[in-house]
Amino acid sequence: MSSYSNKITQLFNIDIPLVQGGMIWASGWRLASAVSNAGALGLIGSGSMYPHVLREHIVKCKAATEKPFGVNVPLLYPNIEEHIQTIIDEKVPIVFTSAGNPKTHTQRLKEHGIKVVHVVSSSKFAQKAQEAGCDAVVAEGFEAGGHNGREETTTMVLIPAVVKEVSIPVIAAGGIGIGAQMLAAMVLGAEGVQVGSRFLASHEASSHIHFKNLILQIKEGDTQLSLKKTTPVRLIKNHFFHLIQAAENRGASAEELQEILGRGRAKKGMFEGDVEEGELEVGQVSTLINSIQPAAEIVQEIWRDCVVKSKEVMLDFGF
Ligand code: NDP
């Protein structure tokens, strides 16, 4: 395939404008390095890692790839300062921040030559990320798994709205798992895509095999946004989801919901494989995922199908 270049490939020094989501309990050094070695951008998901665990994953990732990789940092993480310092000490070239105010850490990271990208769910927050000095934004629509915006704006609407609002490059996320969806996002004005759910079902993801197998069985409507009173998150409708839904329906307060949630639900579901009592974060696109593949194959398949589809569309339009 001929080489491709745009603002996102240039920003990250990668070959394919595709970023793997930094998903908690799934995205360690094995997944991140496999994606980066395949020519896209791999991210370590630091939200589920204690500071010393993050350092270990960064060191192993550096040993496993010579290509650029990044770290995703949810800004509501309890030991955020330690994570930021580890990233600076270990000279990680790229950081994706999410779930918080981009103003807090962006300038400090940039002073150390680190590229900073912030995840947003609205044009308003995209503007704030640009003002904070971010190099790009990930615009993540309602279809996405895990943490989600309260506004429920779909990717189809969000991407052109954000592209109109900011001058920095936009990476589309939410509902993207196959080549045709990547092409659609690029047609809407994105210069890259972020893919999460599809990589959950990869050999290299540290997600539990029970969770991976369940993703293959997901049908339309099997995931839904939950916990809107606390932190909105898209989950598989398992026993835990229904517990929360019943509590929400009877008007439970945020405190009561927090009590049902308890501690470590995400680990229980996604890492330990308790697919009934644990929290299972995955996007709507899981309905299109039907095999567990090596991460490199996923990258190549999405990119090849995106390029092939673009040529078919051009032909269909008579070019
Ligand atoms: P809980 O409070 O329920 O549990 C904390 C979990 O995180 C435990 O399983 C614990 O592991 C692990 N952990 C890692 N580092 C720390 C630390 N420094 N202090 C305490 N616990 C730590 O939180 P959640 O499981 O709901 O969420 C964990 C993190 O993941 C949060 O920072 C949250 O913002 C982030 N998150 C990110 C998402 C994303 O899309 N990027 C989506 C959802 C959550 P152990 O059991 O081994 O102690």
Side-chain angles (χ1 to χ4, degrees):
M1 207 177 287
S2 60
S3 66
Y4 176 88
S5 174
N6 72 1
K7 285 186 195 151
I8 287 297
T9 59
Q10 289 159 22
L11 179 65
F12 301 140
N13 194 19
I14 55 177
D15 300 326
I16 300 170
L18 188 157
V19 181
Q20 160 246 317
M23 303 158 289
I24 57 165
W25 299 114
S27 321
W29 68 271
R30 280 197 182 83
L31 179 57
S33 60
V35 170
S36 287
N37 280 333
L41 183 70
L43 296 186
I44 294 174
S46 74
S48 48
M49 296 177 178
Y50 283 95
H52 73 277
V53 177
L54 174 62
R55 191 181 293 272
E56 189 185 312
H57 278 260
I58 292 171
V59 169
K60 286 185 174 164
C61 202
K62 280 191 211 164
T65 184
E66 288 181 355
K67 303 274 180 70
F69 68 92
V71 174
N72 172 265
V73 187
L75 295 174
L76 37 80
Y77 180 79
N79 299 96
I80 184 87
E81 262 309 311
E82 284 174 77
H83 268 7
I84 298 285
Q85 196 53 53
T86 302
I87 286 163
I88 292 171
D89 292 347
E90 293 294 336
K91 299 187 170 43
V92 174
I94 301 154
V95 167
F96 278 51
T97 54
S98 55
N101 186 346
K103 266 192 190 154
T104 328
H105 301 283
T106 301
Q107 281 316 320
R108 180 160 159 231
L109 290 164
K110 287 189 68 82
E111 277 162 20
H112 288 86
I114 298 170
K115 305 267 168 41
V116 182
V117 180
H118 191 63
V119 183
V120 299
S121 57
S122 70
S123 308
K124 193 175 91 187
F125 286 120
Q127 183 66 47
K128 282 190 173 173
Q130 178 168 275
E131 281 165 17
C134 291
D135 296 284
V137 283
V138 173
E140 187 180 74
F142 182 56
E143 299 92 321
H147 283 178
N148 209 305
R150 288 175 197 281
E151 305 85 356
E152 305 196 354
T153 311
T154 60
T155 302
M156 192 66 132
V157 172
L158 183 66
I159 302 313
V162 172
V163 166
K164 208 167 122 193
E165 187 68 28
V166 295
S167 54
I168 53 178
V170 176
I171 299 167
I176 302 169
I178 61 172
Q181 290 168 326
M182 177 171 185
L183 177 64
M186 308 283 273
V187 171
L188 291 173
E191 300 207 47
V193 293
Q194 185 169 50
V195 173
S197 301
R198 180 106 188 246
F199 287 110
L200 283 176
S202 69
H203 291 315
E204 294 87 348
S206 54
S207 24
H208 195 279
I209 189 66
H210 291 171
F211 180 36
K212 292 183 188 181
N213 284 334
L214 186 61
I215 291 170
L216 309 185
Q217 293 164 35
I218 293 297
K219 305 274 182 300
E220 284 169 51
D222 284 350
T223 71
Q224 197 172 308
L225 202 65
S226 183
L227 291 163
K228 284 199 202 177
K229 269 191 190 160
T230 54
T231 317
V233 62
R234 179 177 296 284
L235 301 176
I236 291 179
K237 293 176 177 171
N238 62 358
H239 183 251
F240 165 68
F241 169 90
H242 289 293
L243 265 184
I244 293 287
Q245 194 183 42
E248 283 175 336
N249 288 347
R250 65 169 187 265
S253 64
E255 292 71 34
E256 286 171 85
L257 292 172
Q258 199 55 49
E259 207 170 300
I260 299 170
L261 181 63
R263 189 174 179 279
R265 280 275 181 182
K267 182 183 186 184
K268 190 194 253 299
M270 299 190 282
F271 193 66
E272 294 172 349
D274 186 340
V275 294
E276 280 309 328
E277 300 307 327
E279 189 179 322
L280 302 176
E281 302 178 7
V282 71
Q284 288 185 347
V285 76
S286 47
T287 189
L288 303 177
I289 301 171
N290 39 39
S291 63
I292 299 170
Q293 293 170 279
E297 205 173 283
I298 295 174
V299 171
Q300 283 145 14
E301 207 175 283
I302 295 174
W303 183 232
R304 185 197 59 222
D305 290 353
C306 174
V307 173
V308 168
K309 200 78 195 157
S310 73
K311 289 179 182 158
E312 284 173 12
V313 172
M314 294 290 271
L315 281 174
D316 284 349
F317 278 96
F319 290 103

